[in-house]
Amino acid sequence: MAKRVVLAYSGGLDTSVAIRWMTQEWGVEVVALLVDVGQDPTSSESFDSIRSRALAAGAVDCVIVDARTEMAEEFCGAAIRANALYEGKYPLVSALSRPVIVRHLVDQARRFDATAVAHGCTGKGNDQVRFEVGTHALAPDLEVLAPVRNWGMTRADSVDYAEKWDIPVRATREKIYSIDENLWGRAIECGDMEDPWAEPPSEPYTLTRVSQSEALEVTIGFAQGTPVSLDGVAMPLAQIIGVLNQQAGARGFGRIDMVENRRVGIKSREVYECPAALALIAAHADLEDLNLERDLHHEKARLQSRWAELIYDGMWFSPLKEALDSFIVDSQRHVTGEVRLRFEAPGVMRIVGRRSAEALYDYGLATYEAADTFRHADSEGFVRIYGLGVQTWAARQGAKNATPPER
Ligand code: ARG
Protein backbone atom coordinates (compact mmCIF):
# COMPACT_ATOMS: atom_id res chain seq x y z
CA MET A 1 0.00 0.00 0.00
CA ALA A 2 1.22 3.46 -0.83
CA LYS A 3 2.58 5.55 1.95
CA ARG A 4 0.06 8.14 3.09
CA VAL A 5 1.00 11.75 3.82
CA VAL A 6 -1.04 14.60 5.32
CA LEU A 7 -0.08 17.91 3.72
CA ALA A 8 -0.65 21.34 5.29
CA TYR A 9 -2.57 22.79 2.38
CA SER A 10 -3.17 26.51 1.75
CA GLY A 11 -4.69 26.41 -1.71
CA GLY A 12 -1.79 28.35 -3.19
CA LEU A 13 0.51 27.38 -6.06
CA ASP A 14 3.22 25.58 -4.09
CA THR A 15 1.03 23.33 -1.99
CA SER A 16 -1.24 22.55 -4.96
CA VAL A 17 1.71 21.50 -7.08
CA ALA A 18 3.12 19.61 -4.08
CA ILE A 19 0.08 17.30 -4.05
CA ARG A 20 0.69 16.14 -7.61
CA TRP A 21 4.48 16.19 -7.33
CA MET A 22 4.62 14.02 -4.20
CA THR A 23 2.09 11.63 -5.73
CA GLN A 24 4.14 11.31 -8.95
CA GLU A 25 7.68 11.46 -7.64
CA TRP A 26 7.37 9.73 -4.30
CA GLY A 27 4.41 7.46 -5.00
CA VAL A 28 2.53 8.57 -1.91
CA GLU A 29 -1.16 9.22 -1.26
CA VAL A 30 -1.72 12.81 -0.24
CA VAL A 31 -4.45 13.97 2.14
CA ALA A 32 -4.75 17.76 1.98
CA LEU A 33 -5.51 19.50 5.26
CA LEU A 34 -6.69 23.09 5.24
CA VAL A 35 -6.72 24.60 8.71
CA ASP A 36 -8.86 27.69 9.07
CA VAL A 37 -6.94 29.98 11.42
CA GLY A 38 -8.87 33.04 10.32
CA GLN A 39 -7.32 33.66 6.91
CA ASP A 40 -9.90 35.58 4.96
CA PRO A 41 -11.22 33.33 2.22
CA THR A 42 -13.54 36.04 0.90
CA SER A 43 -10.51 38.18 -0.01
CA SER A 44 -9.42 35.39 -2.31
CA GLU A 45 -11.86 32.52 -2.71
CA SER A 46 -14.11 30.10 -0.86
CA PHE A 47 -12.87 27.05 0.98
CA ASP A 48 -15.00 24.93 -1.37
CA SER A 49 -13.09 26.07 -4.40
CA ILE A 50 -9.82 25.47 -2.55
CA ARG A 51 -10.99 21.93 -1.78
CA SER A 52 -11.82 21.24 -5.44
CA ARG A 53 -8.32 22.37 -6.38
CA ALA A 54 -6.76 19.94 -3.90
CA LEU A 55 -8.82 17.11 -5.37
CA ALA A 56 -8.04 18.19 -8.93
CA ALA A 57 -4.35 18.10 -8.03
CA GLY A 58 -4.75 14.48 -6.99
CA ALA A 59 -5.38 14.55 -3.24
CA VAL A 60 -7.16 11.42 -2.02
CA ASP A 61 -9.07 13.61 0.41
CA CYS A 62 -9.24 17.22 1.53
CA VAL A 63 -10.11 17.96 5.13
CA ILE A 64 -11.04 21.44 6.31
CA VAL A 65 -10.79 22.18 10.03
CA ASP A 66 -12.11 25.32 11.69
CA ALA A 67 -9.45 26.23 14.26
CA ARG A 68 -10.36 29.90 14.71
CA THR A 69 -11.53 29.64 18.31
CA GLU A 70 -8.53 27.52 19.24
CA MET A 71 -6.19 29.98 17.53
CA ALA A 72 -7.79 32.92 19.33
CA GLU A 73 -8.28 31.54 22.80
CA GLU A 74 -5.26 29.38 23.25
CA PHE A 75 -2.62 30.94 21.01
CA CYS A 76 -3.49 34.65 20.70
CA GLY A 77 -4.62 34.66 24.35
CA ALA A 78 -1.22 33.39 25.46
CA ALA A 79 0.52 35.91 23.20
CA ILE A 80 -1.45 38.77 24.78
CA ARG A 81 -0.63 37.65 28.32
CA ALA A 82 3.04 37.46 27.28
CA ASN A 83 2.90 40.85 25.47
CA ALA A 84 4.57 38.84 22.76
CA LEU A 85 6.50 40.95 20.27
CA TYR A 86 9.52 39.31 18.60
CA GLU A 87 12.44 41.73 18.60
CA GLY A 88 10.13 44.19 20.29
CA LYS A 89 7.96 44.64 17.19
CA TYR A 90 6.43 41.58 15.53
CA PRO A 91 3.35 40.02 17.17
CA LEU A 92 4.18 36.54 15.78
CA VAL A 93 1.34 36.30 13.26
CA SER A 94 2.69 33.32 11.29
CA ALA A 95 4.65 31.89 14.20
CA LEU A 96 1.47 31.46 16.26
CA SER A 97 -0.53 29.74 13.54
CA ARG A 98 2.07 27.05 12.80
CA PRO A 99 1.67 25.11 16.05
CA VAL A 100 -2.12 25.18 15.56
CA ILE A 101 -1.69 23.70 12.09
CA VAL A 102 0.90 21.22 13.35
CA ARG A 103 -1.47 19.93 16.01
CA HIS A 104 -4.14 19.26 13.38
CA LEU A 105 -1.62 17.72 10.98
CA VAL A 106 -0.60 15.21 13.61
CA ASP A 107 -4.23 14.58 14.53
CA GLN A 108 -5.19 13.88 10.91
CA ALA A 109 -2.05 11.82 10.35
CA ARG A 110 -3.26 9.51 13.12
CA ARG A 111 -6.78 9.48 11.75
CA PHE A 112 -5.65 8.59 8.22
CA ASP A 113 -2.96 6.23 9.44
CA ALA A 114 -0.29 8.29 7.70
CA THR A 115 3.42 7.84 8.24
CA ALA A 116 4.36 11.38 7.34
CA VAL A 117 3.17 14.96 7.22
CA ALA A 118 4.29 17.56 4.68
CA HIS A 119 4.48 21.32 4.29
CA GLY A 120 5.09 23.71 1.40
CA CYS A 121 7.81 25.88 2.94
CA THR A 122 11.08 26.77 1.30
CA GLY A 123 14.46 26.19 2.88
CA LYS A 124 15.02 29.86 3.70
CA GLY A 125 12.34 30.67 6.21
CA ASN A 126 11.17 30.13 9.75
CA ASP A 127 8.02 28.25 8.88
CA GLN A 128 9.85 25.04 7.91
CA VAL A 129 11.47 25.11 11.35
CA ARG A 130 8.11 25.55 13.06
CA PHE A 131 6.43 22.75 11.11
CA GLU A 132 9.23 20.27 11.60
CA VAL A 133 10.26 20.95 15.17
CA GLY A 134 6.59 21.23 16.16
CA THR A 135 5.64 17.93 14.52
CA HIS A 136 8.53 16.09 16.13
CA ALA A 137 7.63 17.54 19.51
CA LEU A 138 4.14 16.04 19.25
CA ALA A 139 4.93 12.94 17.23
CA PRO A 140 8.60 11.91 17.26
CA ASP A 141 7.76 8.96 14.98
CA LEU A 142 6.27 10.94 12.08
CA GLU A 143 8.39 11.86 9.11
CA VAL A 144 8.14 15.44 7.82
CA LEU A 145 8.40 15.98 4.07
CA ALA A 146 9.28 19.30 2.46
CA PRO A 147 8.81 18.85 -1.31
CA VAL A 148 9.47 22.52 -2.12
CA ARG A 149 12.98 22.11 -0.72
CA ASN A 150 13.54 19.10 -2.94
CA TRP A 151 12.01 19.81 -6.29
CA GLY A 152 14.25 22.62 -7.56
CA MET A 153 11.49 24.26 -9.61
CA THR A 154 11.28 28.01 -10.13
CA ARG A 155 7.94 29.69 -9.80
CA ALA A 156 7.51 29.64 -13.59
CA ASP A 157 8.32 25.90 -13.60
CA SER A 158 5.61 25.34 -10.98
CA VAL A 159 3.06 27.21 -13.06
CA ASP A 160 4.01 25.07 -16.07
CA TYR A 161 3.73 21.97 -13.93
CA ALA A 162 0.24 22.98 -12.78
CA GLU A 163 -0.79 23.59 -16.39
CA LYS A 164 0.58 20.26 -17.50
CA TRP A 165 -1.43 18.43 -14.83
CA ASP A 166 -4.57 20.56 -15.18
CA ILE A 167 -4.42 21.92 -11.68
CA PRO A 168 -6.62 25.02 -11.68
CA VAL A 169 -4.25 27.47 -9.91
CA ARG A 170 -4.81 31.19 -10.03
CA ALA A 171 -1.14 32.10 -9.80
CA THR A 172 0.77 33.75 -12.61
CA ARG A 173 4.40 33.28 -13.57
CA GLU A 174 5.27 36.59 -11.92
CA LYS A 175 4.96 36.33 -8.23
CA ILE A 176 4.40 39.65 -6.61
CA TYR A 177 3.97 39.09 -2.89
CA SER A 178 4.06 36.23 -0.46
CA ILE A 179 1.26 36.74 2.01
CA ASP A 180 0.41 34.72 5.09
CA GLU A 181 -2.65 35.68 7.07
CA ASN A 182 -4.77 34.62 10.00
CA LEU A 183 -6.88 36.34 12.60
CA TRP A 184 -3.78 37.76 14.32
CA GLY A 185 -2.84 39.74 11.18
CA ARG A 186 -1.11 39.59 7.83
CA ALA A 187 2.54 39.06 6.88
CA ILE A 188 3.65 40.41 3.52
CA GLU A 189 6.97 39.58 1.89
CA CYS A 190 8.75 39.74 -1.48
CA GLY A 191 8.38 42.05 -4.46
CA ASP A 192 9.55 45.62 -3.99
CA MET A 193 9.86 45.02 -0.27
CA GLU A 194 13.08 43.07 -0.72
CA ASP A 195 14.85 46.44 -0.87
CA PRO A 196 14.80 47.59 2.77
CA TRP A 197 15.29 51.21 1.67
CA ALA A 198 12.22 51.23 -0.58
CA GLU A 199 8.96 52.29 1.03
CA PRO A 200 6.44 49.45 0.81
CA PRO A 201 3.83 49.95 -1.92
CA SER A 202 0.32 50.50 -0.59
CA GLU A 203 -1.43 47.84 -2.67
CA PRO A 204 -0.74 44.70 -0.60
CA TYR A 205 -2.27 46.29 2.49
CA THR A 206 -5.87 45.27 3.03
CA LEU A 207 -6.56 45.46 6.76
CA THR A 208 -5.09 48.91 7.33
CA ARG A 209 -6.42 50.96 4.43
CA VAL A 210 -7.87 54.14 5.87
CA SER A 211 -11.62 54.22 5.33
CA GLN A 212 -12.72 56.07 8.50
CA SER A 213 -11.64 59.57 9.36
CA GLU A 214 -13.61 59.79 12.59
CA ALA A 215 -11.70 58.98 15.79
CA LEU A 216 -12.91 55.96 17.74
CA GLU A 217 -12.64 55.18 21.42
CA VAL A 218 -12.96 51.61 22.69
CA THR A 219 -12.70 50.06 26.13
CA ILE A 220 -11.15 46.62 26.45
CA GLY A 221 -11.99 44.62 29.57
CA PHE A 222 -9.45 42.06 30.83
CA ALA A 223 -9.88 39.18 33.29
CA GLN A 224 -6.61 37.71 34.56
CA GLY A 225 -4.72 39.00 31.56
CA THR A 226 -7.19 37.88 28.90
CA PRO A 227 -9.45 40.26 26.95
CA VAL A 228 -13.06 39.41 27.76
CA SER A 229 -15.12 42.43 26.73
CA LEU A 230 -15.34 45.32 24.34
CA ASP A 231 -17.09 48.49 25.47
CA GLY A 232 -18.53 46.60 28.40
CA VAL A 233 -20.04 43.82 26.28
CA ALA A 234 -18.70 40.34 27.01
CA MET A 235 -17.34 38.73 23.85
CA PRO A 236 -15.26 35.72 22.79
CA LEU A 237 -11.67 36.69 22.06
CA ALA A 238 -11.96 35.77 18.37
CA GLN A 239 -14.73 38.34 18.05
CA ILE A 240 -12.86 41.07 19.94
CA ILE A 241 -9.93 40.49 17.59
CA GLY A 242 -12.22 40.65 14.56
CA VAL A 243 -13.88 43.91 15.60
CA LEU A 244 -10.55 45.56 16.42
CA ASN A 245 -8.95 44.44 13.17
CA GLN A 246 -11.77 46.19 11.36
CA GLN A 247 -12.19 49.30 13.47
CA ALA A 248 -8.54 50.04 14.22
CA GLY A 249 -7.52 48.92 10.74
CA ALA A 250 -10.03 51.28 9.14
CA ARG A 251 -8.12 54.08 10.88
CA GLY A 252 -4.83 52.90 9.44
CA PHE A 253 -3.48 51.52 12.70
CA GLY A 254 -1.38 48.37 12.79
CA ARG A 255 1.35 48.55 10.16
CA ILE A 256 4.84 47.33 10.93
CA ASP A 257 7.86 47.66 8.67
CA MET A 258 10.94 45.96 10.06
CA VAL A 259 14.14 44.07 9.37
CA GLU A 260 14.09 40.87 11.41
CA ASN A 261 16.44 38.02 12.23
CA ARG A 262 15.18 34.71 10.91
CA ARG A 263 16.11 31.50 12.73
CA VAL A 264 18.12 30.39 9.71
CA GLY A 265 20.54 33.32 9.93
CA ILE A 266 19.00 35.59 7.31
CA LYS A 267 17.97 39.18 7.94
CA SER A 268 14.81 39.96 6.06
CA ARG A 269 12.62 42.97 5.50
CA GLU A 270 9.10 42.21 6.63
CA VAL A 271 5.89 44.14 6.46
CA TYR A 272 2.90 43.32 8.64
CA GLU A 273 -0.56 44.61 9.38
CA CYS A 274 -1.80 43.64 12.81
CA PRO A 275 -4.27 46.19 14.18
CA ALA A 276 -5.92 44.00 16.83
CA ALA A 277 -2.71 42.32 17.93
CA LEU A 278 -0.85 45.58 18.52
CA ALA A 279 -3.84 47.23 20.20
CA LEU A 280 -4.55 44.32 22.55
CA ILE A 281 -0.91 43.85 23.53
CA ALA A 282 -0.52 47.59 24.21
CA ALA A 283 -3.71 47.63 26.29
CA HIS A 284 -2.69 44.53 28.23
CA ALA A 285 0.80 45.86 28.94
CA ASP A 286 -0.75 49.10 30.15
CA LEU A 287 -3.00 47.29 32.60
CA GLU A 288 0.05 45.43 33.90
CA ASP A 289 1.71 48.80 34.55
CA LEU A 290 -1.20 49.55 36.85
CA ASN A 291 -1.54 46.17 38.56
CA LEU A 292 1.77 44.29 38.69
CA GLU A 293 4.11 44.62 41.65
CA ARG A 294 7.42 46.10 40.56
CA ASP A 295 9.78 43.12 40.83
CA LEU A 296 7.25 40.77 39.26
CA HIS A 297 6.70 43.29 36.47
CA HIS A 298 10.40 43.70 35.73
CA GLU A 299 11.11 39.97 35.82
CA LYS A 300 8.14 39.26 33.58
CA ALA A 301 9.49 41.75 31.03
CA ARG A 302 12.70 39.73 30.83
CA LEU A 303 11.00 36.34 30.58
CA GLN A 304 8.31 37.38 28.13
CA SER A 305 10.81 38.49 25.50
CA ARG A 306 12.32 34.99 25.77
CA TRP A 307 8.83 33.53 25.34
CA ALA A 308 8.35 35.50 22.11
CA GLU A 309 11.73 34.32 20.86
CA LEU A 310 10.84 30.69 21.57
CA ILE A 311 7.56 30.97 19.69
CA TYR A 312 9.29 32.66 16.76
CA ASP A 313 11.87 29.87 16.72
CA GLY A 314 9.28 27.10 16.50
CA MET A 315 9.39 26.03 20.15
CA TRP A 316 5.70 26.31 21.02
CA PHE A 317 5.78 22.67 22.14
CA SER A 318 8.87 22.67 24.35
CA PRO A 319 9.68 22.34 28.05
CA LEU A 320 11.05 25.86 28.50
CA LYS A 321 7.99 27.38 26.87
CA GLU A 322 5.72 25.32 29.13
CA ALA A 323 7.61 26.43 32.22
CA LEU A 324 7.47 30.07 31.13
CA ASP A 325 3.72 29.64 30.57
CA SER A 326 3.29 28.63 34.20
CA PHE A 327 5.11 31.76 35.29
CA ILE A 328 3.14 33.99 32.95
CA VAL A 329 -0.25 32.56 33.91
CA ASP A 330 0.60 32.95 37.59
CA SER A 331 1.69 36.55 37.02
CA GLN A 332 -1.76 37.37 35.60
CA ARG A 333 -3.83 36.63 38.72
CA HIS A 334 -4.56 40.31 39.31
CA VAL A 335 -4.45 41.62 35.75
CA THR A 336 -8.16 42.36 35.67
CA GLY A 337 -9.56 45.73 34.68
CA GLU A 338 -10.25 48.03 31.77
CA VAL A 339 -8.19 50.03 29.32
CA ARG A 340 -9.44 52.82 27.12
CA LEU A 341 -7.92 53.22 23.64
CA ARG A 342 -8.41 55.95 21.06
CA PHE A 343 -7.74 55.38 17.36
CA GLU A 344 -7.29 58.31 15.05
CA ALA A 345 -6.58 58.15 11.33
CA PRO A 346 -4.04 57.84 9.92
CA GLY A 347 -2.60 55.10 12.05
CA VAL A 348 -2.50 56.68 15.49
CA MET A 349 -3.47 54.82 18.65
CA ARG A 350 -3.27 56.25 22.13
CA ILE A 351 -4.10 54.74 25.47
CA VAL A 352 -6.16 57.35 27.25
CA GLY A 353 -7.12 55.64 30.50
CA ARG A 354 -7.04 52.51 32.61
CA ARG A 355 -8.80 51.36 35.79
CA SER A 356 -8.98 48.29 37.98
CA ALA A 357 -10.40 47.19 41.31
CA GLU A 358 -7.06 45.42 41.84
CA ALA A 359 -4.82 48.33 40.89
CA LEU A 360 -1.66 48.90 42.91
CA TYR A 361 -1.92 52.57 42.06
CA ASP A 362 -2.80 54.26 45.36
CA TYR A 363 -4.14 57.77 45.10
CA GLY A 364 -3.20 58.60 48.70
CA LEU A 365 0.41 57.63 48.02
CA ALA A 366 0.63 59.24 44.59
CA THR A 367 -1.11 62.58 45.11
CA TYR A 368 0.55 65.91 45.77
CA GLU A 369 -2.78 67.25 47.03
CA ALA A 370 -4.16 67.38 50.57
CA ALA A 371 -5.20 63.71 50.53
CA ASP A 372 -1.51 62.72 50.66
CA THR A 373 -0.90 59.81 53.06
CA PHE A 374 2.78 59.25 52.27
CA ARG A 375 5.13 59.64 55.28
CA HIS A 376 7.60 62.15 53.86
CA ALA A 377 9.91 62.05 56.88
CA ASP A 378 10.61 58.33 56.30
CA SER A 379 12.33 59.17 53.04
CA GLU A 380 15.21 60.96 54.73
CA GLY A 381 16.69 57.84 56.31
CA PHE A 382 15.79 55.67 53.34
CA VAL A 383 17.58 57.85 50.81
CA ARG A 384 20.65 58.31 53.07
CA ILE A 385 21.14 54.58 53.48
CA TYR A 386 20.30 53.86 49.85
CA GLY A 387 23.09 56.22 48.72
CA LEU A 388 25.56 55.35 51.48
CA GLY A 389 27.74 53.08 49.36
CA VAL A 390 28.17 55.66 46.62
CA GLN A 391 28.84 58.39 49.20
CA THR A 392 31.60 56.28 50.78
CA TRP A 393 33.07 55.55 47.37
CA ALA A 394 33.09 59.27 46.52
CA ALA A 395 34.86 60.15 49.78
CA ARG A 396 37.57 57.48 49.48
CA GLN A 397 38.07 56.90 45.78
CA GLY A 398 36.63 59.98 44.12
CA ALA A 399 34.29 60.38 41.17
CA LYS A 400 36.06 60.64 37.82
CA ASN A 401 33.63 63.03 36.21
CA ALA A 402 33.18 65.51 39.05
CA THR A 403 34.52 68.50 37.08
CA PRO A 404 32.52 69.67 34.05
CA PRO A 405 34.61 69.78 30.84
CA GLU A 406 36.07 73.21 29.99
CA ARG A 407 34.32 75.10 27.25
N1 ARG B 1 8.68 36.49 8.88
C1 ARG B 1 7.46 36.10 9.49
C2 ARG B 1 7.67 34.91 10.39
O1 ARG B 1 8.64 34.23 10.22
C3 ARG B 1 6.38 35.89 8.48
C4 ARG B 1 6.44 34.64 7.66
C5 ARG B 1 5.38 34.67 6.64
N2 ARG B 1 5.30 33.47 5.92
C6 ARG B 1 5.02 33.42 4.62
N3 ARG B 1 4.96 32.24 4.08
N4 ARG B 1 4.82 34.49 3.90
O2 ARG B 1 6.89 34.65 11.25
Side-chain angles (χ1 to χ4, degrees), residues 86 90-96 98 120-122 125-127 130 175 177-181 186-190 258 260-263 268-272 311-312:
Y86 177 66
Y90 165 49
L92 301 172
V93 176
S94 305
L96 283 174
R98 301 314 180 211
C121 307
T122 70
N126 298 308
D127 289 326
R130 298 166 184 152
K175 181 174 197 176
Y177 305 111
S178 162
I179 295 175
D180 182 49
E181 64 178 13
R186 302 178 75 241
I188 308 161
E189 296 173 322
C190 304
M258 69 188 282
E260 75 188 34
N261 288 293
R262 291 189 186 166
R263 181 63 279 193
S268 72
R269 197 280 184 89
E270 308 273 335
V271 172
Y272 302 104
I311 305 314
Y312 186 88

Side-chain angles (χ1 to χ4, degrees), residues 166-375:
D166 268 332
I167 307 171
V169 293
R170 306 192 315 169
T172 56
R173 278 174 185 75
E174 301 281 273
K175 181 174 197 176
I176 313 180
Y177 305 111
S178 162
I179 295 175
D180 182 49
E181 64 178 13
N182 59 58
L183 50 82
W184 209 222
R186 302 178 75 241
I188 308 161
E189 296 173 322
C190 304
D192 301 337
M193 279 165 292
E194 286 178 355
D195 173 2
W197 175 253
E199 186 177 348
S202 53
E203 56 173 300
Y205 291 117
T206 58
L207 272 179
T208 56
R209 278 195 200 143
V210 176
S211 60
Q212 287 282 343
S213 53
E214 222 173 283
L216 174 81
E217 201 174 289
V218 296
T219 300
I220 313 288
F222 289 87
Q224 304 195 318
T226 305
V228 291
S229 68
L230 199 106
D231 291 331
V233 182
M235 245 177 235
L237 184 51
Q239 198 180 339
I240 297 178
I241 293 169
V243 172
L244 281 176
N245 271 337
Q246 274 199 344
Q247 307 263 11
R251 286 158 181 90
F253 174 72
R255 291 188 186 179
I256 303 161
D257 176 346
M258 69 188 282
V259 174
E260 75 188 34
N261 288 293
R262 291 189 186 166
R263 181 63 279 193
V264 294
I266 299 171
K267 276 194 192 291
S268 72
R269 197 280 184 89
E270 308 273 335
V271 172
Y272 302 104
E273 22 181 23
C274 319
L278 293 184
L280 289 170
I281 290 171
H284 173 264
D286 190 274
L287 186 59
E288 288 189 330
D289 292 344
L290 187 70
N291 286 22
L292 287 192
E293 181 277 332
R294 191 186 85 136
D295 285 340
L296 173 59
H297 196 185
H298 291 184
E299 200 57 40
K300 178 169 183 278
R302 281 186 271 270
L303 294 176
Q304 72 192 15
S305 63
R306 187 75 183 99
W307 190 94
E309 219 169 79
L310 285 172
I311 305 314
Y312 186 88
D313 289 345
M315 294 289 174
W316 178 275
F317 304 109
S318 71
L320 176 56
K321 185 267 184 185
E322 280 183 13
L324 290 180
D325 275 342
S326 308
F327 172 87
I328 292 170
V329 166
D330 193 77
S331 74
Q332 300 298 293
R333 273 184 284 161
H334 303 289
V335 185
T336 296
E338 289 180 306
V339 181
R340 214 143 53 92
L341 309 175
R342 187 175 303 142
F343 298 97
E344 273 161 55
V348 178
M349 189 273 287
R350 280 184 301 130
I351 293 176
V352 294
R354 72 286 291 158
R355 68 178 172 193
S356 167
E358 295 177 78
L360 296 181
Y361 178 88
D362 183 312
Y363 177 75
L365 291 177
T367 185
Y368 288 94
E369 309 292 332
D372 189 359
T373 60
F374 184 76
R375 295 181 3 163

